[in-house]
Amino acid sequence: MRKAIIIGGGASGLMAAAQSAQNGNETLIIEKMPRCARKVLISGKGRCNMTNATFDLEELISFVPKNPRFLYSAFSAFMPYDTIAFFEELGVQTKIERGNRVFPVSDKAVDVVNALVNNAKAKGVKFIHGAVKAFEFDENRISAVVLDDGSKIECSSVAVCTGGKSYPGTGSTGDGYILARQSGHTVTEIQPSLVPLVCSNNFVLRLQGLSLRNVGIRLYQKGRLIYEDFGEMLFTHFGVSGPVILSASSHIRSFKGGACSLSIDLKPALDFQALDKRILRDFSEESNKDFINSLGKLLPKKLIPVIVSLSGISPSKKVNEITREERHALVQLVKNLKLDVTSFYDIDAAIVTSGGVDVKEIDPKTMKSKIISNLFFAGEVIDVDAYTGGFNLQIAFSTGYLCGNNMF
């Protein structure tokens, strides 16, 4: 009987294993952590944003900034609506929230993990606790995998579904890259993606914990606009985080290419003239107040001292003494709060890893290696990553599905 080995029991590995077993392979998952899919358990703050209800293929591809064309076949084989139907059939009812994010109705990631594990077991998949350290080769194929205890397991095909290098506490410690290199594959530069950004501005620490909703952001590198978005963000002790920031981070491929800056529009619904009129109206109602006490209707309390300081207007200046030029400078500041971005935050805090096994060396129609005849890859170990919102788990499910269906 054909023996398929899946290395890694995460989202892509569990999907690949179930499909492989369903197709008649004796299928074995080797997982080094005590429990499978630890990263899925913490995704979506423990709620698991399992996919995104984007049902048009071209639109779905547009949410993948890194090597999107590689995923056409995988997405075509298993779309987000297939993911929803898959889990519904396994008893996990789903719901769609803002941004087309799909969650289990229970808001419990453990329900998603249990469904994946139980589905694999129901298809006959066996599980071994251990870590694969090396392969044994017979010409251009893998004949056996070698575990960390020195034992060997013979196989007819192998899939590397080990994840990336983010959240190492979940087991994603880059093991798959080592195995890929042993097999002659190229691994592109590994760096964090969907990660908070470090900023050098002194005022950032004063804003720690401030969450902003409905703001516009623009990300520039070497003065060129590379990304813009609208939504929620959060100030931290080191810089900025939150959904729009995480998505923006995936557009910074490297800080080697020059400095990055972030422009925050605190009032994107108002253009310059409309915001000027709004502030003028507020000032007329607060005409005898000090400037620092006049912005309560416009800005969050924590942000006011920072904006006052950056505006250059004396905090004690009476509102009715503020000049037209000073008011216009304030409008410009509210529409364009600038942050200097100096680096990614630690990769351990990244939601996904950017970089991985070079897609040029993988057949996109099967997920099979172009170098080793019986080696496959799926999930985050491949050099593809997407925006936040459930797209990266969809990549895991789609590539895992395609991989499992082509193992022999």
Side-chain angles (χ1 to χ4, degrees), residues 22 105 180 187 211 242 287 353 377:
Q22 184 171 294
V105 168
V187 176
S211 179
S287 59
T353 308
F377 297 95

Side-chain angles (χ1 to χ4, degrees), residues 101-398:
R101 289 168 166 82
V102 179
F103 292 88
V105 168
S106 67
D107 284 329
K108 294 179 179 178
V110 67
D111 292 345
V112 175
V113 173
N114 287 343
L116 287 167
V117 172
N118 291 337
N119 177 58
K121 288 180 177 178
K123 299 285 176 61
V125 177
K126 304 298 182 184
F127 292 77
I128 284 183
H129 180 255
V132 175
K133 292 301 182 184
F135 296 137
E136 286 194 349
F137 296 92
D138 180 7
E139 295 184 347
N140 79 323
R141 64 183 301 277
I142 297 167
S143 58
V145 299
V146 182
L147 274 60
D148 52 358
D149 63 2
S151 60
K152 299 177 183 179
I153 304 174
E154 294 184 351
C155 57
S156 57
S157 60
V158 178
V160 175
C161 305
T162 52
K165 207 172 181 180
S166 56
Y167 287 127
T170 65
S172 298
T173 53
D175 299 1
Y177 307 138
I178 297 171
L179 295 172
R181 290 189 182 104
Q182 286 180 2
S183 308
H185 277 274
T186 304
V187 176
T188 62
E189 181 184 2
I190 304 302
Q191 63 182 34
S193 186
L194 299 185
V195 66
L197 298 173
V198 178
C199 301
S200 60
N201 311 73
N202 292 332
F203 62 79
V204 163
L205 188 58
R206 297 167 63 188
L207 298 175
Q208 179 181 354
L210 175 63
S211 179
L212 298 176
R213 301 181 67 184
N214 302 321
V215 296
I217 66 145
R218 289 182 177 175
L219 179 66
Y220 296 87
Q221 189 157 29
K222 296 174 71 174
R224 182 175 65 88
L225 178 66
I226 59 174
Y227 183 72
E228 57 184 320
D229 202 354
F230 171 87
E232 298 178 26
M233 63 169 289
L234 170 72
F235 283 94
T236 69
H237 66 285
F238 55 81
V240 285
S241 187
V244 295
I245 301 300
L246 298 180
S247 289
S249 73
S250 66
H251 288 264
I252 305 172
R253 289 301 159 197
S254 171
F255 281 91
K256 297 173 185 175
C260 288
S261 64
L262 196 65
S263 169
I264 303 171
D265 185 346
L266 298 167
K267 296 293 177 182
L270 303 175
D271 62 17
F272 187 95
Q273 289 74 19
L275 181 57
D276 187 38
K277 289 180 181 178
R278 158 75 188 275
I279 292 176
L280 194 59
R281 184 176 71 246
D282 288 352
F283 280 2
S284 67
E285 295 172 357
E286 314 271 6
S287 59
N288 292 317
K289 283 191 174 183
D290 291 347
F291 176 45
I292 195 161
N293 297 322
S294 68
L295 300 175
K297 295 179 181 178
L298 184 70
L299 299 170
K301 184 177 180 180
K302 202 167 191 176
L303 189 57
I304 291 173
V306 171
I307 293 296
V308 169
S309 176
L310 293 173
S311 74
I313 303 171
S314 171
S316 59
K317 189 169 188 175
K318 297 299 181 184
V319 167
N320 57 15
E321 296 176 354
I322 292 176
T323 67
R324 180 174 181 270
E325 288 73 21
E326 288 174 326
R327 193 183 73 247
H328 282 183
L330 174 63
V331 172
Q332 183 61 31
L333 179 60
V334 172
K335 295 289 291 179
N336 184 25
L337 177 60
K338 292 183 178 179
L339 298 172
D340 299 316
V341 182
T342 57
S343 66
F344 297 117
Y345 196 51
D346 198 302
I347 192 169
D348 290 0
I351 293 177
V352 298
T353 308
S354 179
V357 181
D358 195 329
V359 296
K360 297 186 185 71
E361 299 169 357
I362 303 171
D363 183 346
K365 295 181 179 178
T366 61
M367 296 296 121
K368 188 168 77 167
S369 165
K370 294 180 180 179
I371 297 171
I372 303 297
S373 65
N374 62 340
L375 176 62
F376 295 76
F377 297 95
E380 195 179 343
V381 73
I382 303 172
D383 185 15
V384 288
D385 59 271
Y387 301 153
T388 184
F391 299 105
N392 287 288
L393 265 179
Q394 183 60 48
I395 289 174
F397 294 138
S398 295

